[in-house]
Amino acid sequence: MTAWAGFWGLLSGTVCAFASYILYKAGVFGFGTELNASFWGAGIAFVVDAVVSVVVTLATTPKPESELRGLVYGLSDASVSDDALAGDAAWYRSPVILGAGAVVLAAAFYLPFL
C-alpha cells in the first residue's frame, strides 16, 4: 500500500462511518439500535477503506526499494546496525525485569478483588 492509499483509505472510511451514523440518526437507515448502527458503521468503514486503499495503491507509484531498505523486513540492509548500544544494560531493556514487573502489577491489582 502506498502512503497516499493509506491516507485516502483512512479518511474515506472515517467519513463513511460518520455519514452512516448521521443517516441513521436522520432516519434514512433503520439499523434498530445505536449498537447496531455502530457495528454497521464499522463494517462500512472497513469495506470502503479496503476498496479505496486498493484503488489508490493501483493508481499511484510505490516508493523505490532504495528508500525502503532497512525499513521493510524483506529488504534488509546489512549496513544498518540495531538500536541496542554496546554494553547498554538499562533496566527498561530487560524483558525479564519488564515481565516480572507486569506480573507483580497484575497481581497487585487483582488481589483487592478476591
Side-chain angles (χ1 to χ4, degrees):
M1 178 185 304
T2 62
W4 284 113
F7 172 75
W8 288 111
L10 179 64
L11 184 66
S12 63
T14 303
V15 167
C16 285
F18 182 71
S20 72
Y21 184 72
I22 295 299
L23 292 173
Y24 161 71
K25 291 302 257 184
V28 176
F29 291 155
F31 294 127
T33 64
E34 296 275 334
L35 184 61
N36 284 341
S38 296
F39 282 130
W40 274 98
I44 291 168
F46 174 76
V47 170
V48 169
D49 183 358
V51 169
V52 169
S53 294
V54 168
V55 169
V56 174
T57 295
L58 294 174
T60 56
T61 58
K63 286 188 180 242
E65 284 189 16
S66 61
E67 290 184 30
L68 297 176
R69 218 161 269 296
L71 296 174
V72 181
Y73 180 74
L75 299 173
S76 63
D77 188 2
S79 67
V80 177
S81 61
D82 79 10
D83 65 344
L85 301 174
D88 184 12
W91 66 270
Y92 55 84
R93 290 192 185 261
S94 171
V96 174
I97 294 174
L98 293 176
V103 169
V104 168
L105 284 174
F109 287 128
Y110 179 73
L111 288 176
F113 295 104
L114 287 178

